C-alpha cells in the first residue's frame, strides 16, 4: 500500500512516472569473440637469471597448460639451465687455487613445476586499425622441484608475471618476469630472478 | 515469411516443451525468439517468452539484462507506451527481484508500473496490482522465496564469456539485449550452514549476558546449525529454555538435541529438557513422543528442589493418558501423587482433573475406583468441581453419581444454590435427614429466593416430599405452606408456577393470572412451555427433547397475533429479543451448515488447498460467532458444541482419508494435512462449567461465553481451538500450526510464478 501511495503521490504532483529510472546491479556487455577459448597452450621460452652474482645462467623452458576458462589455466613447466662462472668467480677461483683451495659454485640444472595461472587482464590491442591482437596478462604460481648439478633435488616454488600477445589465432609471443625460489622456508632458501621470452601456441 | 511466424512457431515449441518435449526444443525455440529484431512489432511478445525461459531457468544475468533493456529502452517512450507496455513482463521482473530479496527495487517498479498503468489506462493494471501484493506477501517468507539457484550459477570469471562493464551511453547503443548481462547478487539471508560459528556463539553469549536476547537467540540458532559435538549440545540446551517467541525452531527439538549430545547435564537440566520435549510433542499431538518425554523426566532422581518439576511432569503425563482414553491410569497417577505429596503448586489442578478422570473411567466389571476420602473440606470441594465438569461432559449431573459423591459432598459446607444441589444429591443417595437439613437452611436463605426458578421450586417440593415422610404430596405441602391465593413473594410464585406447569394445569395458571401473570411474562421457560403446550396441543413439556424445544420456539417466532386458548398475550417482541431465542437462532444457523460436512471427501489436485479452506472457513466462522455469542442457556451451548464437533470431526476424517489414501505424495504436504486434521479435530466451543449448581434455571445463569482459548493460525484462516489440554501447562504455543503460514505463502507465490510463466500462443499483428 505504501509503495502505491508513494507512486500515486508522484503522479499527482505532476511528476511523470518513468519506469526506466530504477536501476540495480551492474550492466555488462557480453563480448562474442570470434574464436572460442582454445583448451591447450604450449610455450617455448628462452631466459636468463638476472641476479646471480657468480654464474651466468641461461635456460630453456617448455610449458603446457590447459585453459580452465578464459581467466584460469593449469599446467606444467620444465626448464633446463645452462650455467658458467662469470669473470669474478673465475678470478676468485684462480686466487684460491694458488692456496690449494677449490671453490665450487652450484649450478642450476633442471626445474619442474605444476603451475596455476590466473589471467585477470585480457583484451585486444588495436594495431594501427590494421589488426586486432588479443592480449592478456597472466599471473602464474607453481610448486615443484629444482636440481643443481651434483646436488640433491630440492623443493621449489615459482611465480611469474607473463604478458602475452597473439599474433595469429594460434601463435603468439610471451615475455615473463618472475622468481624461482629453491628450498623455500629453509635456511638454504635462494631466490633466482628470471626474465624469459618466447613463443606460444594455442590449439 | 510474415514477421510473426518466428514468434508463433517459437511459442508452439515452448508449449511442446512444457509438455515434456526434449531439450533441443528449447534451444530451437529460444533461437527463434532471439532472432526477433527489436524493430519487429512482435518483439515485446518475443521478449516476454524469452524472459519466461530465463526466469524458469534461473538465468538471472540474462533475465535482468533483458529486463533493463525493455524497461529503460521501451517504457520511457511515451508515444509507444500503450503498445509496448506489457504488465506480465514487468510482473516477472518484480518477482525476479523478489526472489533476490530486492524489496526496495521490486516495490519501486511495481508501484511505478501500477501508477503508470492507472494514469495511462494501460492494460494489465490488475496483474500489476497482484504483483505488488505478492511483493508484500513474499516479504513475510523471504527465505522460502529466495532464488537459491541464482547463487549457484558460476561467476563470469569461471566461464568462457568475456563481459565488459558499460555505462549509460554505451547501454543506449545496444541494439539487442541478447548481449546484455546484469550482475546482481541476491540479498536474501543465506539459509546454508555457514562456516564454523564459534564467533557467532561467543557473540551470542555476550549478547545474552547483556540481556540483548532479540539478537542473541537468532545468532544462537545459526550457530546451532553450524556447530557439531558438545558445543552444539550446549547451544541446544540454551535454545531449549529460550522464550519461544525469540526463536524460530521448536524448543523441544533443541531440548532433544541437548539430551542426545554428550554434554554433561545436571539432574535438574535433564528433567527440564525432558519436560520440554514432552510439552512440545504434546502440543503437536504426538502423544507417544510426549509420553516418552515425561516418562524419561520421571526417571530423573527426585532430589530437593525438583519437586515442582516432578509434580508438573506427572500432571502432564496424566493428561497424555487422558488423551489416550486411559483415564484410570491418569486417575491412579494423580491420586498416588496427591496422597504421597501434601501441598504442591498444582494440587488444585490435580484434584480437579482427578474428578474429570474419575468420571471418564468406564464403570465396567471392576467399577470405578473409590474416590479419595482423606481430603480436607477445601480439597474435597475442588475434587467435586472436577467431578461435576466430568459429569457435564457426559451430559449428566452429580446426582447421577450420588452414591459415590455423597460421602464427599456431605463434608463440604455450601451456600446459596449449591446447597440446594447438595440436598438433591444427598436425597438421591438416600441420606434424607442430611438432605432435609440442607433444604431447610436453603429454603430459609433469603439470598437465594430470587434465584429460584419455577421448575426448581417444583423440585424443591419434590425434596420436601421425600423429606416429609408423612405421605402427603407436594401440592398439599405447598398448599399448606404457600397457598396459591396468598402468595406474594416472587419465590413462592415461581414455586407455584413450576408446580402447575409441570402438572400442565394451564387453566389454573390462567385463572391466577393476576397473581402469576407478572412472573409468567418474566419467565421465558414458562412462556415457552405455555406457548409450546398450546401450539403442540399441550404436549409434554418437562424434559422436552431438543427438537421439540426448537419446534416450540420456532412457532413462537412466527406468531404475529395474540394467542388463543384464553392465554394472555405476550408481546412477540419480548420473545424475539429474548436471549434464549437468540441462542436458538445461533444454534439453528450452525446446524444449517451441518449437511455440508456429511459424506465429505477431498481429492488431490491443484485446488486442494482452496477446497479445504472453503470447508474450514464457514466452520471457523460459525465457531467464532458461537464463541462471541452470549449464551443464555448452556443446553444450547452444549448443543452448539456437539454440532461443531460433529462437523469438525467429519472434516478431519475427510482430510485423514485423503492422507491415508496415498493421493498426496508430497511428504511435507502429508505431514501438514495430518497436522491440520489433528487441529480441526480438537475444535470445540470449550464449554466451561465450573459451577456446582446442577440444572440452574437459564434466566438465573449469567450469560455464558464459550471459553476463550489460544489462537491457532491455519494459513490465512484464524480459528480458535484446543487440544484436549489441561488448564495448567508450560506451553510452547501452537507452533506446529503457525508454521503452516510460510508454507501457504510460498505455495501462493509459486502459484503466481507459474501463472506468470504460463506459455501463450499469440498471433502477432502485421
Amino acid at each position: 500500500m505504501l509503495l502505491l501511495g508513494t507512486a500515486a503521490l508522484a503522479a499527482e504532483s505532476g511528476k511523470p512516472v518513468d519506469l526506466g529510472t530504477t536501476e540495480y546491479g551492474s550492466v555488462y556487455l557480453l563480448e562474442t569473440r570470434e574464436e572460442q577459448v582454445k583448451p591447450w597452450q604450449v610455450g617455448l621460452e628462452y631466459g636468463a637469471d638476472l641476479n646471480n652474482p657468480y654464474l651466468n645462467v641461461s635456460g630453456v623452458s617448455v610449458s603446457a597448460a590447459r585453459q580452465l576458462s578464459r581467466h584460469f589455466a593449469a599446467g606444467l613447466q620444465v626448464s633446463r639451465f645452462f650455467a658458467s662462472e662469470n669473470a669474478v668467480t673465475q678470478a676468485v677461483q684462480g686466487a684460491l687455487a694458488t692456496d690449494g683451495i677449490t671453490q665450487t659454485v652450484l649450478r642450476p640444472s633442471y626445474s619442474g613445476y605444476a603451475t596455476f595461472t590466473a589471467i585477470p587482464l585480457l583484451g585486444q590491442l588495436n594495431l594501427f586499425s590494421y589488426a586486432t591482437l588479443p592480449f592478456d596478462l597472466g599471473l602464474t604460481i607453481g610448486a615443484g622441484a629444482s636440481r643443481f648439478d651434483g646436488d640433491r633435488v630440492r623443493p621449489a616454488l615459482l611465480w611469474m608475471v607473463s604478458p602475452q600477445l597473439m599474433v595469429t589465432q594460434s601463435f603468439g609471443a610471451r615475455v615473463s618476469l618472475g622468481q624461482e625460489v629453491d628450498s623455500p622456508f629453509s635456511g638454504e632458501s635462494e631466490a633466482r630472478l628470471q626474465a624469459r621470452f618466447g613463443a606460444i601456441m594455442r590449439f | 515469411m510474415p514477421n510473426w511466424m518466428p514468434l508463433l512457431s517459437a511459442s508452439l515449441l515452448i508449449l511442446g516443451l512444457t509438455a515434456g518435449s526434449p531439450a533441443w526444443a528449447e534451444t530451437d525455440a529460444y533461437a527463434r525468439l532471439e532472432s526477433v529484431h527489436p524493430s519487429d512489432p512482435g518483439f515485446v511478445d518475443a521478449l516476454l517468452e524469452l524472459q519466461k525461459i530465463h526466469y524458469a531457468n534461473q538465468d538471472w544475468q540474462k533475465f535482468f539484462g533483458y529486463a533493463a533493456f525493455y524497461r529503460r529502452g521501451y517504457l520511457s517512450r511515451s508515444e509507444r507506451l500503450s503498445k509496448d507496455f506489457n504488465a506480465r513482463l514487468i510482473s516477472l521482473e518484480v518477482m525476479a527481484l523478489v526472489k533476490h530479496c530486492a524489496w526496495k527495487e521490486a516495490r519501486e517498479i511495481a508501484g511505478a508500473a501500477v501508477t503508470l498503468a492507472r494514469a495511462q489506462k494501460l492494460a494489465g493494471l490488475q496483474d500489476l496490482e497482484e504483483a505488488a501484493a505478492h511483493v508484500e506477501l513474499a516479504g513475510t517468507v523471504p527465505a522460502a522465496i529466495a532464488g537459491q539457484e541464482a547463487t549457484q550459477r558460476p561467476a563470469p570469471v569461471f566461464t568462457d564469456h568475456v563481459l565488459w562493464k558499460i555505462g549509460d551511453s554505451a547501454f543506449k547503443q545496444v541494439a539487442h539485449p541478447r548481449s546484455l548481462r546484469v550482475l546482481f547478487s541476491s540479498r536474501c539471508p543465506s539459509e546454508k550452514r555457514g562456516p564454523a560459528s564459534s564467533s557467532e556463539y561467543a557473540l551470542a553469549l555476550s549478547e545474552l549476558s547483556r540481556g540483548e536476547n532479540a539478537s542473541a537467540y537468532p545468532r544462537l540458532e545459526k550457530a546451532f546449525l553450524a556447530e557439531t559435538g558438545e558445543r552444539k549440545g550446549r547451544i541446544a540446551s540454551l535454545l531449549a529454555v529460550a522464550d519461544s517467541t525469540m526463536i524460530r525452531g521448536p524448543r523441544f527439538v533443541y531440548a532433544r538435541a541437548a539430551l542426545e549430545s554428550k554434554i554433561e547435564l545436571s539432574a535438574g537440566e535433564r528433567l527440564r529438557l525432558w519436560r520440554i520435549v514432552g510439552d512440545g510433542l504434546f502440543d503437536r499431538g504426538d502423544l507417544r513422543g510426549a509420553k516418552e518425554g515425561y516418562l524419561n523426566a520421571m526417571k530423573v532422581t527426585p532430589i530437593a528442589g525438583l519437586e515442582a518439576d516432578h509434580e508438573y511432569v506427572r500432571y502432564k503425563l496424566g493428561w497424555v493418558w487422558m488423551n489416550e482414553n486411559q483415564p484410570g491410569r491418569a486417575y491412579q497417577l494423580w491420586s498416588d501423587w496427591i496422597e504421597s505429596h501434601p501441598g504442591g503448586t498444582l494440587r488444585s489442578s490435580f484434584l480437579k482433573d482427578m474428578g474429570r478422570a474419575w468420571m471418564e473411567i468406564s464403570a465396567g466389571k471392576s467399577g470405578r475406583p473409590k474416590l479419595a476420602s482423606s481430603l480436607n473440606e477445601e480439597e474435597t470441594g475442588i475434587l467435586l468441581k472436577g467431578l461435576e465438569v466430568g459429569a457435564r461432559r457426559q451430559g449428566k449431573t452429580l446426582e447421577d453419581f450420588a452414591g459415590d459423591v455423597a460421602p464427599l459432598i456431605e463434608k463440604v459446607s455450601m451456600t446459596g444454590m449449591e446447597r440446594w444441589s447438595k440436598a438433591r444429591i444427598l436425597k438421591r443417595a438416600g441420606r434424607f435427614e442430611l438432605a432435609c437439613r440442607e433444604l431447610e437452611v436453603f429454603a430459609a436463605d433469603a439470598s437465594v429466593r430470587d434465584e429460584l426458578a419455577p421448575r426448581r421450586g417444583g423440585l424443591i417440593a419434590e425434596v420436601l416430599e421425600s423429606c416429609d415422610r408423612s405421605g402427603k404430596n407436594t401440592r398439599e405441602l405447598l398448599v399448606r405452606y404457600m397457598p396459591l391465593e396468598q402468595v406474594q413473594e416472587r419465590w413462592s410464585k415461581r414455586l407455584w408456577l413450576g408446580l402447575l406447569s409441570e402438572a400442565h394445569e394451564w387453566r389454573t395458571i390462567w385463572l391466577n393470572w393476576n397473581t402469576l401473570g407478572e412472573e409468567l411474562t418474566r419467565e421465558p421457560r414458562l412462556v415457552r412451555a405455555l406457548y409450546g403446550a398450546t401450539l403442540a396441543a399441550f404436549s409434554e413439556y418437562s424434559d422436552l427433547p431438543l427438537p421439540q424445544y426448537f419446534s416450540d420456539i420456532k412457532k413462537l417466532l412466527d406468531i404475529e397475533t395474540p394467542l388463543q386458548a384464553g392465554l394472555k398475550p405476550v408481546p412477540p417482541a419480548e420473545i424475539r429479543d429474548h436471549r434464549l431465542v437468540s441462542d436458538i437462532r445461533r444454534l439453528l444457523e450452525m446446524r444449517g451448515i451441518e449437511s455440508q460436512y456429511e459424506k465429505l471427501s477431498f481429492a488431490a489436485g491443484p485446488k486442494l488447498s482452496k477446497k479445504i479452506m472453503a470447508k474450514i472457513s464457514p466452520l471457523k466462522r460459525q465457531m467464532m460467532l458461537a464463541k462471541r455469542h452470549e449464551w443464555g442457556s448452556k443446553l444450547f451451548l452444549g448443543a452448539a458444541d456437539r454440532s461443531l464437533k460433529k462437523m469438525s470431526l467429519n472434516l478431519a476424517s475427510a482430510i485423514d482419508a485423503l492422507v491415508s489414501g496415498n493421493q498426496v505424495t508430497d511428504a511435507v504436504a502429508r505431514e501438514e494435512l495430518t497436522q491440520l486434521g489433528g487441529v480441526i479435530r480438537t475444535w470445540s466451543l470449550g464449554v466451561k462449567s465450573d459451577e456446582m449448581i446442577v440444572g440452574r434455571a437459564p434466566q438465573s445463569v449469567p450469560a455464558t461465553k464459550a471459553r476463550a482459548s489460544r489462537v491457532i493460525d491455519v494459513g490465512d484462516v484464524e480459528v480458535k481451538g484446543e487440544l484436549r489440554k489441561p488448564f495448567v501447562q508450560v506451553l510452547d504455543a501452537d507452533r506446529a500450526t503457525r508454521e503452516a503460514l510460510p508454507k501457504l505463502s510460498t505455495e501462493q507465490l509459486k502459484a503466481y510464478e507459474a501463472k506468470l510463466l504460463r506459455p501463450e500462443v499469440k498471433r502477432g499483428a502485421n
Side-chain angles (χ1 to χ4, degrees):
Chain A
M1 287 299 108
L2 183 66
L3 63 101
L4 298 182
T6 312
L9 209 64
E12 281 169 17
S13 64
K15 200 173 164 185
V17 177
D18 187 357
L19 269 167
T21 54
T22 303
E23 292 179 24
Y24 49 82
S26 305
V27 183
Y28 294 84
L29 203 60
L30 177 76
E31 179 193 338
T32 313
R33 291 196 171 193
E34 285 182 11
E35 79 282 11
Q36 296 298 311
V37 177
K38 291 182 173 161
W40 293 101
Q41 175 174 299
V42 293
L44 178 64
E45 289 173 283
Y46 174 79
D49 278 12
L50 302 180
N51 66 337
N52 195 321
Y54 309 111
L55 298 171
N56 295 319
V57 181
S58 59
V60 176
S61 298
V62 177
S63 62
R66 176 81 165 90
Q67 289 292 129
L68 305 176
S69 72
R70 284 197 189 273
H71 292 279
F72 297 104
L76 295 170
Q77 176 187 300
V78 179
S79 300
R80 172 76 171 98
F81 300 104
F82 309 99
S84 59
E85 290 83 357
N86 61 18
V88 175
T89 306
Q90 286 174 1
V92 172
Q93 283 178 334
L96 291 173
T98 56
D99 295 330
I101 301 170
T102 303
Q103 187 206 29
T104 306
V105 180
L106 288 176
R107 302 171 182 216
S109 176
Y110 296 98
S111 69
Y113 297 93
T115 60
F116 179 78
T117 302
I119 307 159
L121 289 178
L122 58 83
Q124 306 209 35
L125 299 181
N126 189 316
L127 182 66
F128 296 113
S129 299
Y130 175 75
T132 302
L133 306 177
F135 165 85
D136 57 53
L137 178 76
L139 302 176
T140 302
I141 55 171
S146 65
R147 185 172 182 280
F148 287 74
D149 281 343
D151 195 19
R152 61 187 169 84
V153 174
R154 304 175 187 213
L157 294 177
L158 166 82
W159 68 262
M160 286 277 173
V161 179
S162 312
Q164 58 186 31
L165 196 67
M166 297 303 292
V167 181
T168 69
Q169 284 194 1
S170 298
F171 292 96
R174 176 165 70 185
V175 293
S176 304
L177 182 70
Q179 280 184 315
E180 286 189 47
V181 183
D182 303 311
S183 303
F185 316 118
S186 74
E188 298 179 321
S189 175
E190 188 179 343
R192 291 179 288 120
L193 184 67
Q194 296 174 353
R196 298 175 188 172
F197 68 93
I200 55 172
M201 184 177 80
R202 287 175 175 170
F203 58 96
Chain B
M1 185 170 70
N3 58 11
W4 49 265
M5 277 304 286
L7 181 61
L8 177 62
S9 53
S11 298
L12 287 169
L13 277 168
I14 290 169
L15 279 172
L17 181 71
T18 55
S21 295
W24 61 262
E26 184 185 6
T27 309
D28 196 9
Y30 190 86
R32 292 188 196 194
L33 288 167
E34 210 176 31
S35 70
V36 181
H37 193 267
S39 60
D40 192 300
F43 177 70
V44 174
D45 294 323
L47 205 59
L48 175 60
E49 296 308 318
L50 283 168
Q51 286 292 70
K52 287 180 195 172
I53 296 172
H54 298 150
Y55 190 104
N57 290 303
Q58 310 270 346
D59 192 343
W60 301 119
Q61 292 174 14
K62 266 191 181 179
F63 180 90
F64 287 126
Y66 274 72
F69 183 85
Y70 169 66
R71 201 161 37 76
R72 290 162 68 177
Y74 278 68
L75 300 185
S76 298
R77 298 184 300 188
S78 56
E79 70 277 6
R80 282 179 55 88
L81 200 58
S82 61
K83 187 168 178 54
D84 294 337
F85 190 85
N86 188 305
R88 202 191 276 197
L89 259 176
I90 299 169
S91 301
L92 270 176
E93 186 183 7
V94 169
M95 288 308 289
L97 287 167
V98 160
K99 283 179 91 72
H100 287 70
C101 298
W103 311 114
K104 179 175 164 285
E105 290 83 356
R107 286 188 180 112
E108 257 180 36
I109 293 172
V114 167
T115 308
L116 193 64
R118 200 172 282 159
Q120 306 273 337
K121 296 188 170 46
L122 301 170
L125 174 62
Q126 200 177 343
D127 291 344
L128 291 167
E129 285 176 340
E130 196 177 352
H134 278 88
V135 175
E136 303 310 316
L137 178 63
T140 63
V141 284
I145 193 63
Q148 296 288 346
E149 301 89 337
T151 58
Q152 293 167 12
R153 293 230 158 221
V157 74
F158 297 113
T159 66
D160 288 345
H161 307 309
V162 178
L163 297 179
W164 299 88
K165 192 169 186 177
I166 58 171
D168 271 353
S169 53
F171 184 89
K172 287 173 186 164
Q173 304 299 319
V174 176
H176 192 283
R178 71 169 73 90
S179 53
L180 274 177
R181 299 288 183 274
V182 171
L183 267 57
F184 182 57
S185 302
S186 173
R187 296 178 196 155
C188 297
S190 173
E191 291 291 308
K192 293 174 184 170
R193 294 182 180 199
S197 57
S198 54
S199 59
E200 293 283 354
Y201 180 49
L203 275 172
L205 291 180
S206 161
E207 286 171 341
L208 277 179
S209 66
R210 293 196 301 274
E212 296 166 3
N213 295 353
S215 55
Y217 283 116
R219 207 184 285 284
L220 273 179
E221 287 195 290
K222 200 172 164 188
F224 173 79
L225 291 174
E227 290 285 0
T228 53
E230 282 197 17
R231 180 173 285 173
K232 190 183 186 81
R234 192 51 67 192
I235 294 170
S237 69
L238 287 172
L239 288 168
V241 295
D243 182 341
S244 58
T245 60
M246 294 272 183
I247 55 177
R248 295 177 65 189
R251 297 199 321 166
F252 76 90
V253 171
Y254 295 124
R256 195 183 277 282
L259 287 161
E260 287 171 356
S261 72
K262 292 178 181 170
I263 60 171
E264 195 172 325
L265 294 166
S266 67
E269 285 173 323
R270 277 206 316 282
L271 176 53
R272 189 175 300 121
L273 290 172
W274 277 121
R275 192 259 296 158
I276 291 168
V277 170
D279 282 354
L281 294 172
F282 184 88
D283 276 358
R284 286 172 177 252
D286 181 354
L287 296 177
R288 186 185 294 178
K291 187 161 56 185
E292 183 197 348
Y294 293 135
L295 286 171
N296 278 314
M298 283 171 61
K299 286 177 192 167
V300 176
T301 313
I303 57 175
L306 299 182
E307 294 88 351
D309 291 282
H310 274 288
E311 181 187 31
Y312 175 81
V313 164
R314 276 160 180 79
Y315 180 62
K316 287 298 292 289
L317 179 61
W319 269 100
V320 172
W321 279 324
M322 287 286 278
N323 279 284
E324 286 185 342
N325 291 323
Q326 298 188 65
R329 292 186 76 172
Y331 180 83
Q332 198 58 49
L333 178 74
W334 290 335
S335 175
D336 290 348
W337 179 265
I338 284 290
E339 284 181 15
S340 58
H341 292 80
T345 53
L346 299 178
R347 193 168 179 83
S348 296
S349 301
F350 269 92
L351 287 165
K352 192 166 183 176
D353 293 339
M354 274 170 63
R356 288 181 65 172
W358 186 88
M359 279 293 177
E360 290 183 19
I361 298 171
S362 168
K365 288 179 184 172
S366 54
R368 292 187 172 89
K370 193 171 181 299
L371 282 164
S373 56
S374 60
L375 304 173
N376 61 32
E377 184 182 340
E378 184 188 354
E379 290 171 345
T380 306
I382 298 169
L383 178 60
L384 282 167
K385 279 184 185 294
L387 288 165
E388 194 209 0
V389 170
R392 288 196 178 203
R393 280 182 171 269
Q394 298 175 29
K396 297 178 180 172
T397 68
L398 286 184
E399 284 180 53
D400 298 320
F401 305 92
D404 292 302
V405 172
L408 295 179
I409 208 166
E410 70 177 46
K411 292 202 308 190
V412 183
S413 38
M414 294 180 175
T415 57
M417 295 300 291
E418 290 180 354
R419 189 189 297 280
W420 182 81
S421 301
K422 179 179 176 182
R424 281 186 59 83
I425 291 168
L426 291 170
K427 181 210 165 223
R428 179 76 78 90
R431 305 188 181 206
F432 297 114
E433 283 187 23
L434 287 171
C436 289
R437 198 184 306 154
E438 292 291 340
L439 202 60
E440 280 170 11
V441 180
F442 173 73
D445 186 353
S447 69
V448 299
R449 288 183 185 176
D450 287 343
E451 297 288 322
L452 284 172
R455 185 161 183 268
R456 202 61 50 80
L459 293 171
I460 286 176
E462 181 198 336
V463 180
L464 277 170
E465 182 184 22
S466 65
C467 293
D468 184 74
R469 310 288 184 96
S470 65
K472 295 178 181 176
N473 63 30
T474 309
R475 185 69 167 272
E476 287 174 344
L477 280 170
L478 281 172
V479 166
R480 192 171 74 188
Y481 294 116
M482 296 173 281
L484 179 60
E485 300 76 19
Q486 297 172 20
V487 295
Q488 291 184 354
E489 295 166 300
R490 180 174 291 173
W491 173 67
S492 53
K493 287 181 185 178
R494 291 189 175 190
L495 275 176
W496 268 110
L497 272 172
L499 191 64
L500 293 171
S501 62
E502 284 186 352
H504 309 294
E505 293 188 34
W506 311 116
R507 187 161 183 80
T508 309
I509 293 173
W510 175 74
L511 288 171
N512 289 279
W513 186 265
N514 291 337
T515 305
L516 303 174
E518 184 191 358
E519 290 307 311
L520 190 65
T521 56
R522 292 183 184 191
E523 178 47 66
R525 289 172 67 91
L526 268 178
V527 171
R528 186 172 58 251
L530 285 167
Y531 280 30
T534 304
L535 294 166
F538 293 88
S539 66
E540 181 69 29
Y541 164 64
S542 181
D543 296 321
L544 268 180
L546 205 55
Q548 183 62 46
Y549 207 56
F550 288 163
S551 163
D552 289 349
I553 295 294
K554 281 187 74 177
K555 283 173 185 168
L556 278 177
L557 291 174
D558 296 333
I559 293 170
E560 294 297 338
T561 56
L563 291 173
Q564 305 300 315
L567 289 173
K568 300 281 173 71
V570 176
E574 261 188 53
I575 301 169
R576 278 205 205 95
D577 297 340
H578 200 277
R579 189 178 281 164
L580 288 174
V581 176
S582 68
D583 280 4
I584 289 178
R585 281 192 171 130
R586 171 65 34 237
L587 181 56
L588 287 175
E589 190 180 322
M590 182 173 277
R591 290 200 164 174
I593 64 166
E594 264 186 24
S595 60
Q596 296 174 24
Y597 293 84
E598 287 167 5
K599 298 176 182 173
L600 197 59
S601 67
F602 295 110
K607 292 183 178 175
L608 175 62
S609 176
K610 202 175 277 183
K611 285 176 184 167
I612 293 177
M613 283 303 168
K615 288 296 173 192
I616 288 177
S617 296
L619 197 53
K620 166 240 166 192
R621 180 173 175 276
Q622 287 301 324
M623 184 155 62
M624 286 285 99
L625 290 171
K627 281 183 177 282
R628 287 180 192 144
H629 180 69
E630 292 199 344
W631 292 92
S633 163
K634 287 185 179 171
L635 179 67
F636 289 133
L637 174 56
D641 193 38
R642 285 193 295 279
S643 174
L644 172 72
K645 279 179 181 162
K646 184 178 171 187
M647 289 186 278
S648 57
L649 284 176
N650 284 345
L651 180 56
S653 300
I655 292 172
D656 288 350
L658 176 69
V659 174
S660 61
N662 292 326
Q663 288 188 51
V664 181
T665 52
D666 179 38
V668 177
R670 290 169 65 87
E671 175 66 16
E672 293 287 341
L673 284 169
T674 306
Q675 285 185 7
L676 182 64
V679 171
I680 291 171
R681 207 178 284 280
T682 65
W683 285 353
S684 81
L685 295 179
V687 181
K688 188 179 180 183
S689 48
D690 285 340
E691 296 87 355
M692 272 295 295
I693 301 156
V694 184
R696 181 185 284 180
Q699 199 172 27
S700 63
V701 179
T704 306
K705 291 211 82 167
R707 178 150 44 101
S709 51
R710 285 170 296 101
V711 174
I712 296 172
D713 293 325
V714 185
D716 55 345
V717 181
E718 182 187 277
V719 296
K720 288 187 176 184
E722 57 178 358
L723 260 176
R724 197 156 172 248
K725 290 174 184 171
F727 291 107
V728 182
Q729 32 180 359
V730 182
L731 281 175
D732 283 336
D734 287 298
R735 299 186 65 95
T737 43
R738 197 177 296 161
E739 283 159 9
L741 179 61
K743 185 174 188 308
L744 291 171
S745 299
T746 307
E747 279 175 7
Q748 184 76 14
L749 288 163
K750 296 281 180 204
Y752 180 61
E753 270 188 327
K755 179 183 162 188
L756 286 176
L757 295 174
R758 199 169 50 220
E760 284 179 357
V761 180
K762 191 168 182 176
R763 281 185 183 275
N766 282 315

